[in-house]
Amino acid sequence: MSASLYAADPAPQPAAEGTADHLLGVAAGLRPALRAAQEEHEVLGGYSEAVHKQFLDAGFYRMLQPKRYGGLELPLEDFLRVTVEISRGDPGVGWSFVLGAGHAWHIASFWPEQAQEELFTNDFVAPGRTIPRGRAERTKDGYRLTGTWDYCSGSKWSSHAILVAPTFTEENIPLGLRAFVVPRGDYEILDDWGGDLVLGMRASSSNSIRVEDMLVPEHLSVIYDFKDHVLGEEGTVGYQLHRNPVYLGRTIAFFNCELVATQIGAAWAAHDVFDELMTARPTSFPPVMPRTESAEFHRWYGKMLGQIDAAETLLLAAMRQYTELGRRWERTRQEFTPEEDARLRGVLLQGAQLANQAVDLAFSTAGSSSARLGSPMAKYYRDVAMFKTHIAAQWDVTYGSVSRYHFGQPLTF
């Protein structure tokens, strides 16, 4: 189990299947196997079929699917706790999992009942790419979609993909952005991820996806206004269907919490390596002594724990506040605003920075052997370095976005 402040209490009896504690226990139990397969998964560019089957059997992909369609409909906090545990085994696998499984929440929040009945007949796993790419043309039968979308994390075991594109009439009149759900048989996953193609997160299956003139039915497409839609008195389609405020669809904090959970998992993984070295290696500077007798190593170890515990506390507390804002709307119809959503992203990203700092501290003080190619510590450092290139990790961009919105400008990111 996670060594965090929020680790599940030991249960006197095994937790019932489908409960958060059961899923958390399964995820923690997979840690040794995930670590043993890290090199294999990096070469594959995603996790193996055997791991995928374990995720299926455990019910991980159904955590956010509505109960109405056979899902578990668990709180977002529990989904994140499981993601942290998976990421502690391998941050790249955690990234692939969370961004594949998490989009069931978008379907449940925004897509109409006909689409949900169709898409949730089986476990729904879908990468989502909201940076507009390609082109969609409206026809009397739906939308003709063509394009290539990069960085579609979670694509390897996907059942569908959610893709955003600018939409036009047959006369080339712009109609705005729409999100389209495309089934697995109608897109090509390009071989442009994994191995030595990228520095880190090689197991995240963040491949590009190509669609060629695919007809998307009307019910599998919705207007893309996820960042700043108005809840009003009725809420989203998802709330009306499921009567659960988790499906009100505020997306800014939700998307960022998925990424931050992987970073906290990476920090725990780096901590685990550092913890082993505390008893296995002496100091590399005089006077040479066991690391457990070194004041410097104790300070580093304690600081690392404080950073990771604080990061996980921020993650889970932000999601509890997010959940409460949805419940407040349900009780009072007081709007859960995009600004409140964006401010919670700021809390989450503070957690990401603390988790990243913990990995930097572990890497820089563990000793030069931990920087050798193929070492676990080097992998976790690479995975975190890859996250730092993500737009979500450009702290000044995200902080500037919420400030501009506060002063009346559009919410650009």
Side-chain angles (χ1 to χ4, degrees), residues 23 26-27 30 55-56 58-63 79 82 86 97 101:
L23 295 170
V26 173
L30 289 172
F55 286 1
L56 280 170
F60 288 166
Y61 297 126
R62 294 184 291 113
M63 292 185 72
F79 181 62
V82 168
I86 294 171
F97 162 74

Side-chain angles (χ1 to χ4, degrees), residues 10 21 51 154 194 199 374 399-400:
D21 284 345
V51 171
L199 174 69
Y399 298 147

Side-chain angles (χ1 to χ4, degrees), residues 202-274:
R202 294 175 173 181
S204 66
S205 60
S206 300
N207 303 67
S208 298
I209 282 177
R210 178 184 295 149
V211 176
E212 295 285 354
D213 194 32
M214 191 268 175
L215 179 65
V216 181
E218 183 75 35
H219 70 282
L220 294 183
S221 171
V222 296
I223 294 172
Y224 179 62
D225 61 352
F226 298 175
K227 291 196 306 297
D228 48 11
H229 62 287
V230 176
L231 298 176
E233 290 295 313
E234 300 298 325
T236 57
V237 170
Y239 178 78
Q240 294 168 36
L241 277 175
H242 309 300
R243 295 298 168 183
N244 185 342
V246 76
Y247 298 126
L248 290 174
R250 283 279 170 247
T251 58
I252 297 175
F254 177 83
F255 172 64
N256 283 268
C257 77
E258 294 178 298
L259 306 186
V260 175
T262 70
Q263 298 308 291
I264 293 169
W268 281 123
H271 160 271
D272 292 343
V273 176
F274 196 91

Side-chain angles (χ1 to χ4, degrees), residues 11 13 36 59 64 79 91-92 106 108 116 141 163 184 190 204 210 216 275 290 294 322 326-327 350 369 406:
Q13 296 179 351
L64 298 183
F79 181 62
H106 295 77
Q116 296 195 34
D141 299 315
L163 307 169
R184 177 64 189 89
L190 304 186
S204 66
R210 178 184 295 149
V216 181
D275 184 74
S294 165
Y322 176 98
R327 290 172 178 163
Q350 290 292 318
S369 60
H406 178 78

